[in-house]
């Protein structure tokens, strides 16, 4: 027998028939290519459900509809999870602060939202255990009266979770709190309370939902933009939405897709799609921005987060370990834009100031340690006249317009499945679709089926991958990690046998770029930000990996040289504006102030002149190569060019003395850290001094 064109054993075929008879959703065969999906969209067939939006909610709707047996399509004008869904705090949570507001204001709706979110939190952790895990979060207490107050609140949080409580919260003494979180500020610390929420890789989770929907038969297409809604006369003379006019962004081809029901799940862009249906409709979405920065992992313990429930301006700030780095982020900052705003220096400095308030004096919080920064838009549902987004919960709403357009808005990441369930329920009722009840509770997502906590050991043993790389592949792809390992290139080394890294300090390998194309990645930005998370972890490392990523994608997608240049430029622009590279490079500009003591200036001048032997007033790659050769250090020219380019402020191919002094001044102030040129020059200076201290006179009688 054949199952969706894939040869199956008789036992598998019988199982498929039994599952179909019992109404259990059946996964289909291999993942269709994007080209096949686009072709399916252009067929004359009418879909039952067409979803606009490829974020968590939109993909959740597509998965829910497909598992009910509905013929489903999903269109996303950018990449899956390219918007809000990849720019979250990475938490799967019920909302401690929402429960506090529910109790203080006797708000039953807020309470119901928290309870539902806690139930969905448990489901999300079970549906993709490779992408998510419980995380203990500490609330440090600095006033005695706060201890019973917060303890009661957190215990209520556990109580509301009921049987879905991840682990029971507990109180820590001051000594124990400092043992678990040694970076914490010690003075006036009374103790701490630890509670549990979940954490996940948001972009990969979103992609897993989209891929699972495709496995169940949904036609999912990224880079397909909806240009207008199609309408036809319905009952009673009213015009009814019957599909969309869309455009393949990659080819420019336009075509119509017809559907009985169209769902608007576009997050911050909710109102723009609603106005396609009715220009006079009032706005229901009020955006709220959350800014996040990424710092080195040593700023937090490996498995303990920190929550400040009341910052200096009343917002909540999270301080969390993630992907061996540390995320610090704020919530609920009102904004007027729906596109993702650029993180400002003011945003970053606010977060750093709050971090300093909670870390000990022996931990220097440096501006230069901000490795990446981004801002995500939370699409909160509110009255258009309301300006206070902090007073809003993330309750979702499902509305049906006069023309039959269904809109789902609001909510939050954790409750995406419940939002999708309510939306498809509304679609079935409104459009009399032939579908049963929701099938997604307990459904495992892409990669979860064959995953186990020890899967990475098999990857090391069977393929010869580094342990760190194997752990990363297992926690990113789950059971599909073996498919990535199979296409990993041989390194030519004794160990690891396979798995060439894209950059040395991160476990991402070249095979992931090839596999990412199979997962519908079509731009370099897709790879650095969503198939891998390199752009979210370190913008400089992401830029360093870009040329190799583009070369691999060019081979897979048949890009010409011009296309490769365009992709490089687009990815660098993305890093510069959306991931904080601009505010990072702004720390060192040609107008940066030099604030050094006279003795320091002389010391740095001597170091500079060790390289500038000819007293030109600047150093070039040749100068650096000469010094490195004298101390027997080899470094390729491309790497040297990158190192000098980081400091070459006027981009003339050379580093002048003033630029070097600006660099050293910025390093002393903590605005810049990890400068490869500064470390290289200091190391070379020390090496030369050691060599000069060793006597070089010949012994008597030598040849």
């Amino acid at each position: 027998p054949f199952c969706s064109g894939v040869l199956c054993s008789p036992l598998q075929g019988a199982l498929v028939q039994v599952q179909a008879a019992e109404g259990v959703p059946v996964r289909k065969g291999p993942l269709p290519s994007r080209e096949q999906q686009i072709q399916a969209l252009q067929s004359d067939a009418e879909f039952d459900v067409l979803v606009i939006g490829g974020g968590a909610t939109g993909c959740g709707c597509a998965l829910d509809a497909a598992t009910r047996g509905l013929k489903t399509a999903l269109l996303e004008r950018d990449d899956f999870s390219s918007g809000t869904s990849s720019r979250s705090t990475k938490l799967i949570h019920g909302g401690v602060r929402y429960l506090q507001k529910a109790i203080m204001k006797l708000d039953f709706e807020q309470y119901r939202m928290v309870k539902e979110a806690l139930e969905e939190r448990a489901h999300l952790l079970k549906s993709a255990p490779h992408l998510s895990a419980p995380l203990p979060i500490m609330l440090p207490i600095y006033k005695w009266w706060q201890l019973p107050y917060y303890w009661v609140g957190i215990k209520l949080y556990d109580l509301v979770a009921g049987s879905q409580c991840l682990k029971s919260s507990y109180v820590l003494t001051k000594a124990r709190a400092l043992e678990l979180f040694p970076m914490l500020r010690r003075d006036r610390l009374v103790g701490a309370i630890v509670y549990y929420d979940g954490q996940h890789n948001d972009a990969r989770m979103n992609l897993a939902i989209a891929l699972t929907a495709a496995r169940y038969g949904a036609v999912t297409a990224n880079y397909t933009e909806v240009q207008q809604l199609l309408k036809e006369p319905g009952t009673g003379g009213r015009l009814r939405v019957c599909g969309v006019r869309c455009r393949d962004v990659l080819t420019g081809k336009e075509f119509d897709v017809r559907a009985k029901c169209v769902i608007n799940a576009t997050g911050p862009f909710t109102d723009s799609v609603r106005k396609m249906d009715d220009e006079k409709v009032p706005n229901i979405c009020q955006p709220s921005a959350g800014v996040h920065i990424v710092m080195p992992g040593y700023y937090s313990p490996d498995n303990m987060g920190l929550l400040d429930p009341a910052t200096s301006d009343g917002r909540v700030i999270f301080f969390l370990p993630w992907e061996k780095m540390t995320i610090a982020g704020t919530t609920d900052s009102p904004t007027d834009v729906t596109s993702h705003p650029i993180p400002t220096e003011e945003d970053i400095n606010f977060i750093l100031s709050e971090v300093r308030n909670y870390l000990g004096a022996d931990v220097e919080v440096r501006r230069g340690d901000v490795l990446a920064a981004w801002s995500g838009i939370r699409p909160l549902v509110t009255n258009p006249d309301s300006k206070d987004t902090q007073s809003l919960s993330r309750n979702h709403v499902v509305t049906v317009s006069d023309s039959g357009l269904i809109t789902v808005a609001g909510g939050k990441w954790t409750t995406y499945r419940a939002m999708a369930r309510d939306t498809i329920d509304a679609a079935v009722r409104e459009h009399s679709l032939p579908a049963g009840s929701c099938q997604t509770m307990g459904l495992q997502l892409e990669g979860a089926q064959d995953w186990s906590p020890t899967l990475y050991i098999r990857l090391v043993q069977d393929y010869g991958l580094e342990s760190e790389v194997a752990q990363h592949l297992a926690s990113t792809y789950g059971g599909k990690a073996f498919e990535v390992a199979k296409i990993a290139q041989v390194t030519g080394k004794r160990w690891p046998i396979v798995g060439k890294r894209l950059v040395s300090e991160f476990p991402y390998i070249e095979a992931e770029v090839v596999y990412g194309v199979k997962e519908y990645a079509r731009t370099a930005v897709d790879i650095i930000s969503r198939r891998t998370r390199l752009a979210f972890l370190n913008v400089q490392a992401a830029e360093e990996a870009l040329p190799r990523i583009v070369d691999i994608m060019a081979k897979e997608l048949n890009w010409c040289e011009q296309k490769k240049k365009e992709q490089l430029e687009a990815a660098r622009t993305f890093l510069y504006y959306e991931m904080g590279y601009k505010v990072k490079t702004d720390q060192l500009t040609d107008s940066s102030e030099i604030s050094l003591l006279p003795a320091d200036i002389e010391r740095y001048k001597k170091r500079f002149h060790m390289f500038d032997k000819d007293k030109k007033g600047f150093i070039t790659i040749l100068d650096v190569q000469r010094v490195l050769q004298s101390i027997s250090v080899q470094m390729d020219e491309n790497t040297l060019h990158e190192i000098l380019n980081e400091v070459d402020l006027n981009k003339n191919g050379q580093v002048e003395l003033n630029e070097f002094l600006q660099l050293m001044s910025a390093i002393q102030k903590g605005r810049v850290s990890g400068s490869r040129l500064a470390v290289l020059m200091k190391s070379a200076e020390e090496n030369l001094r050691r060599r000069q201290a060793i006597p070089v006179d010949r012994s008597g009688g030598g040849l």
Side-chain angles (χ1 to χ4, degrees), residues 300-548:
S300 66
D302 290 338
N303 194 37
M304 177 74 74
L306 184 144
L307 167 69
D308 179 1
T311 61
S312 57
D313 69 350
R315 285 185 285 172
V316 171
I317 188 168
F318 289 96
F319 194 60
L320 309 167
W322 183 68
E323 299 287 320
K324 298 186 178 180
M325 294 294 182
T326 301
I327 289 182
T330 62
T331 59
D332 287 353
S333 177
T335 181
D336 295 327
V337 299
T338 53
S339 59
H340 296 283
I342 301 169
T344 66
E345 189 62 25
E346 183 181 1
D347 294 328
I348 293 171
N349 285 333
F350 170 78
I351 297 174
L352 289 175
S353 68
E354 294 299 328
V355 170
R356 291 187 185 101
N357 289 340
Y358 275 88
L359 298 188
D362 54 337
V363 180
E364 183 186 0
V365 181
R366 304 181 299 178
R367 172 61 183 81
D369 282 340
V370 177
L371 305 175
W374 72 89
S375 181
I377 299 296
R378 295 176 173 85
L380 304 180
V381 180
T382 181
N383 184 309
D385 298 328
S386 172
K387 296 181 180 178
D388 181 13
T389 62
Q390 291 175 330
S391 66
L392 299 172
S393 71
R394 297 186 188 181
N395 277 322
H396 65 273
V397 297
V398 178
T399 65
V400 183
S401 73
D402 291 340
S403 65
L405 174 69
I406 295 180
T407 294
V408 54
K412 61 179 182 176
W413 228 121
T414 308
T415 59
Y416 88 90
R417 192 202 68 86
M419 295 170 66
R421 176 201 62 208
D422 293 348
T423 305
I424 301 304
D425 282 348
V428 170
R429 288 194 308 269
E430 177 69 20
H431 296 275
S432 303
L433 299 177
S437 60
C438 177
Q439 300 284 336
T440 53
M441 177 59 80
L443 188 73
Q444 289 194 309
L445 300 179
E446 179 89 348
Q449 296 81 13
D450 301 316
W451 177 84
S452 74
T454 57
L455 181 145
Y456 79 94
I457 297 175
R458 288 177 55 199
L459 292 171
V460 174
Q461 294 175 338
D462 294 353
Y463 294 95
L465 288 160
E466 291 176 83
S467 181
E468 184 187 10
V469 170
Q471 288 176 340
H472 153 67
L473 293 181
S475 65
T476 301
Y477 303 94
K480 300 294 181 182
F482 293 100
E483 296 183 15
V484 183
K486 286 175 184 176
I487 59 175
Q489 287 188 317
V490 175
T491 63
K493 302 176 183 177
R494 184 184 62 81
W495 190 263
I497 298 172
V498 301
K500 292 183 179 179
R501 294 194 183 212
L502 289 168
V503 282
S504 60
E505 66 265 42
F506 289 95
Y508 301 113
I509 59 174
E510 292 182 357
E512 292 182 78
V513 182
V514 178
Y515 195 76
V517 172
K518 295 180 181 179
E519 293 182 321
Y520 306 135
R522 287 298 179 268
T523 70
V525 172
D526 297 345
I527 295 293
I528 62 174
S529 60
R530 292 174 287 274
R531 302 312 181 277
T532 73
R533 305 313 306 275
L534 202 48
F536 283 80
L537 297 172
N538 190 315
V539 288
Q540 284 185 285
E543 186 184 40
E544 184 182 325
L546 271 176
R548 183 59 187 143

Side-chain angles (χ1 to χ4, degrees), residues 4-71:
S4 299
V6 180
L7 188 62
C8 299
S9 69
L11 180 61
Q12 287 173 315
L15 178 62
V16 168
Q17 291 175 2
V18 170
Q19 287 178 324
E22 294 179 352
V24 177
V26 181
R27 287 177 186 259
K28 300 202 173 184
L31 195 68
S33 67
R34 182 180 180 277
E35 289 68 31
Q36 289 173 321
Q37 299 283 46
I38 293 292
Q39 189 175 2
L41 286 173
Q42 295 179 55
S43 67
D44 294 332
E46 182 183 45
F47 290 92
D48 293 320
V49 172
L50 187 151
V51 183
I52 307 173
T57 305
C59 291
C61 288
L63 177 59
D64 190 298
T67 53
R68 297 193 199 200
L70 295 171
K71 189 172 183 179

Side-chain angles (χ1 to χ4, degrees), residues 80-390:
F80 304 115
S81 191
S82 59
T84 299
S85 296
S86 63
R87 303 169 192 245
S88 72
T89 313
K90 321 304 178 193
L91 283 178
I92 307 170
H93 64 125
V96 173
R97 61 186 178 131
Y98 301 139
L99 181 60
Q100 179 189 26
K101 291 178 181 179
I103 295 170
M104 299 296 287
K105 298 181 179 181
L106 299 177
D107 188 337
F108 185 65
E109 282 301 311
Q110 288 263 24
Y111 168 80
R112 282 179 54 191
M113 187 209 69
V114 173
K115 186 166 181 60
E116 179 182 61
L118 288 171
E119 292 172 354
E120 292 299 319
R121 178 187 70 178
H123 160 74
L124 198 47
L125 289 168
K126 292 174 184 175
S127 68
H130 59 299
L131 292 170
S132 58
L135 177 71
I137 300 176
M138 179 185 292
L139 277 76
I141 306 297
Y142 287 94
K143 294 177 182 177
W144 280 108
W145 68 266
Q146 290 179 334
L147 193 57
Y149 175 77
Y150 284 124
W151 181 82
V152 170
I154 293 300
K155 280 300 174 185
L156 283 172
Y157 193 60
D158 290 348
L159 186 64
V160 173
S163 62
Q164 306 291 359
C165 181
L166 301 180
K167 290 184 182 179
S168 182
S169 57
Y170 54 90
V171 176
L172 295 174
T173 63
K174 175 179 178 179
R176 182 62 176 151
L178 291 171
E179 183 182 336
L180 292 174
F181 210 121
M183 309 84 174
L184 212 55
R185 179 163 60 88
R186 299 166 180 267
D187 57 302
R188 299 196 305 277
L189 181 68
V190 172
I193 299 172
V194 175
Y195 74 99
Y196 286 81
D197 259 326
Q199 189 180 50
H200 68 155
N201 185 335
D202 53 3
R204 291 295 317 183
M205 185 73 81
N206 194 153
L207 184 63
I209 300 167
L211 296 177
T212 307
R215 297 275 188 196
Y216 279 102
V219 179
T220 58
N222 57 353
Y223 294 103
T224 309
E225 181 181 16
V226 171
Q227 296 184 310
Q228 69 179 77
L229 300 178
L230 303 178
K231 294 184 178 182
E232 64 183 10
T235 56
R238 288 189 306 172
L239 290 176
R240 302 283 291 179
V241 173
C242 62
V244 300
R245 178 71 174 174
C246 59
R247 180 176 70 92
D248 184 342
V249 175
L250 302 181
T251 64
K253 183 177 181 180
E254 296 185 8
F255 52 91
D256 293 342
V257 181
R258 302 189 69 80
K260 297 172 185 174
C261 172
V262 176
I263 294 173
N264 170 19
T266 53
F269 306 97
T270 294
D271 288 320
S272 62
V273 176
R274 292 175 74 241
K275 289 182 187 298
M276 285 185 185
D277 181 37
D278 180 1
E279 292 181 357
K280 298 178 181 179
V281 72
N283 291 342
I284 63 169
C285 184
Q286 182 167 320
S288 174
V291 178
H292 302 80
I293 63 173
V294 171
M295 306 173 77
Y298 54 70
Y299 275 98
S300 66
D302 290 338
N303 194 37
M304 177 74 74
L306 184 144
L307 167 69
D308 179 1
T311 61
S312 57
D313 69 350
R315 285 185 285 172
V316 171
I317 188 168
F318 289 96
F319 194 60
L320 309 167
W322 183 68
E323 299 287 320
K324 298 186 178 180
M325 294 294 182
T326 301
I327 289 182
T330 62
T331 59
D332 287 353
S333 177
T335 181
D336 295 327
V337 299
T338 53
S339 59
H340 296 283
I342 301 169
T344 66
E345 189 62 25
E346 183 181 1
D347 294 328
I348 293 171
N349 285 333
F350 170 78
I351 297 174
L352 289 175
S353 68
E354 294 299 328
V355 170
R356 291 187 185 101
N357 289 340
Y358 275 88
L359 298 188
D362 54 337
V363 180
E364 183 186 0
V365 181
R366 304 181 299 178
R367 172 61 183 81
D369 282 340
V370 177
L371 305 175
W374 72 89
S375 181
I377 299 296
R378 295 176 173 85
L380 304 180
V381 180
T382 181
N383 184 309
D385 298 328
S386 172
K387 296 181 180 178
D388 181 13
T389 62
Q390 291 175 330

